[in-house]
Amino acid sequence: MASPVVLGIESSCDETGAGIVSGSRLLGHVVASSMDEHARFGGVVPEIAARAHVQALAPVVREALERAGLRLGDIDAVAVTTGPGLSGALQVGLAGAKALAYAAGVPLYGVHHLAGHVAADTLEHGPLPDPCVVLIVSGGHTSLLFVRDLARDPVLHLGDTVDDAAGECFDKVARVFGLPYPGGPAIDRAARDGDRRAVAFPRPLTRPGDDPYAFSFSGLKTAAARWAERHRLRGEELPLADGAASLQEAVADVLTRKALAACAAYGARTLVVVGGVAANARVRALAEERCAAAGVALRVPSPALCTDNGAMIAAVGDLLVRAGAEPAPLDMSVDPSAPLEYAALHPVALVP
Ligand code: KG4
Ligand code: ZN
């Protein structure tokens, strides 16, 4: 029997994504972003994001179907992000997904956004080894997860950021440095000609006795802002490349150090790095270096699948459907601060 075809919808932040996956294969996906509309505010404005999803959802789904060479009638299930994320933004995606599932007469699955980031990697590199450690680093999250069977087992949340996410730190410091939003790519570019040892920025929560898997980036952000301020007060030009390279080094060092400590402690031979910050050149290079030294295999999806998209939600839906998970009721609602326990955000009875 042919594998079921799953449509995935993502709308938790500023990206409206639709993707189609069947039997772990990505058939097509489309992402529309309202990032430009938020740029002048220096961050995502929830109401603007929700309105942009209303505009983008139907065209994005239509185009994803076109790219896959399919019609709505060919879809066997719809999966949608129901949390965590911006409440209004999530509600637009869920309402659209319910309408599509109802119209097509197919089951609906509510998916945890972070499980989607994890599953994105399977679309390029095949099934995840059991177990593996996953580092999710984006503008909204910085989490270390211990993952077994994504469709069946609970995900162990090893640690999180206690304040800012890593991408948020890049975005906010970039603003102080006078770089454009989003700041991560701008810092990455500026760092190319810099000396990463030029400024000794702190490595938060890496002292003995600190939580080994928790992150904190707000102190680092303040340290970078102070450093910039000191130069300005002295009337000096900001050594931007050195500042960017040193900041990037501090972030990459802490992220990879903690991720590899988790691999060692939990006996995982594979580290998966996902999320927008996984696109950072230094994060990638240092992860490769340290994984090679520790004999750990490193998996990083290509940038288009690292950032928010609908394909990753379809990938979770595909795993759930094939595991025989029970679909969600049509009165399912969003959960903007959903903790990650299972990949499905509604209770599922699995076929044993
Ligand atoms: O995963 P993502 O697209 O959206 C969510 O936040 O869920 O991640 C966006 C974040 C932003 O903070 C952006 O500055 C950061 O990822 N980012 C980068 C790079 N590309 C994107 N940070 C560092 N270096 C990059 N090359
Ligand atoms: Zn995300």
Side-chain angles (χ1 to χ4, degrees):
M1 201 182 82
S3 296
V5 179
V6 183
L7 166 67
I9 292 175
E10 155 64 33
S11 71
S12 65
C13 192
D14 57 343
E15 265 99 27
T16 319
I20 295 155
V21 169
S22 181
S24 287
R25 247 172 19 95
L26 175 57
L27 303 182
H29 82 118
V30 176
V31 179
S33 175
S34 58
M35 187 188 287
D36 293 348
E37 296 173 57
H38 308 287
R40 70 194 168 100
F41 302 103
V44 177
V45 182
E47 185 61 21
I48 294 177
R51 282 165 192 263
H53 288 307
V54 173
Q55 302 291 326
L57 192 63
V60 161
V61 170
R62 199 176 309 127
E63 206 178 319
L65 283 166
E66 247 164 54
R67 286 196 192 173
L70 298 171
R71 307 153 66 94
L72 187 59
D74 299 318
I75 299 298
D76 298 302
V78 178
V80 60
T81 308
T82 43
L86 303 170
S87 175
L90 288 166
Q91 285 179 47
V92 176
L94 178 58
K98 281 181 181 177
L100 288 165
Y102 187 72
V106 299
L108 178 70
Y109 294 85
V111 169
H112 195 290
H113 179 79
L114 294 188
H117 275 301
V118 177
D121 188 65
T122 65
L123 298 173
E124 281 178 336
H125 302 126
L128 290 171
D130 176 1
C132 60
V133 166
V134 182
L135 171 67
I136 298 181
V137 266
S138 69
H141 342 269
T142 305
S143 305
L144 261 177
L145 312 174
F146 180 71
V147 177
R148 307 212 63 142
D149 180 334
L150 198 57
R152 296 171 182 276
D153 298 326
V155 175
L156 193 57
H157 219 141
L158 301 178
D160 261 311
T161 178
V162 296
D163 41 53
D164 293 353
E168 196 179 350
C169 172
F170 280 134
D171 293 337
K172 288 177 176 168
V173 173
R175 205 170 177 190
V176 177
F177 284 5
L179 293 168
Y181 175 86
I187 297 262
D188 202 344
R189 274 193 303 275
R192 273 183 211 153
D193 310 315
D195 175 3
R196 55 181 183 257
R197 280 172 286 266
V199 194
F201 284 132
R203 306 297 199 255
L205 295 184
T206 53
R207 278 199 285 266
D210 287 339
D211 183 334
Y213 312 128
F215 301 94
S216 165
F217 293 105
S218 137
L220 182 57
K221 172 189 69 185
T222 310
R226 292 266 153 76
W227 172 81
E229 195 181 38
R230 274 200 301 278
H231 282 278
R232 287 203 183 109
L233 287 175
R234 287 194 223 117
E236 297 166 0
E237 200 186 317
L238 200 62
L240 192 60
D242 284 352
S246 301
L247 174 76
Q248 199 172 265
E249 186 65 13
V251 173
D253 179 20
V254 174
L255 290 176
T256 54
R257 219 195 283 188
K258 291 189 176 236
L260 278 149
C263 289
Y266 286 84
R269 310 305 308 153
T270 302
L271 171 66
V272 186
V273 187
V274 297
V277 180
N280 183 267
R282 187 58 189 154
V283 170
R284 292 179 92 107
L286 204 52
E288 265 162 35
E289 202 178 289
R290 289 180 173 173
C291 279
V296 168
L298 176 67
R299 292 173 47 151
V300 188
S302 57
L305 288 178
C306 272
T307 51
D308 290 351
N309 63 81
M312 68 187 200
I313 305 304
V316 176
D318 174 58
L319 293 174
L320 290 171
V321 171
R322 288 192 289 138
E326 208 173 285
L330 269 185
D331 65 356
M332 168 173 60
S333 46
V334 302
D335 185 353
S337 53
L340 178 54
E341 203 182 355
Y342 285 93
L345 261 185
H346 53 90
V348 291
L350 292 166
V351 172

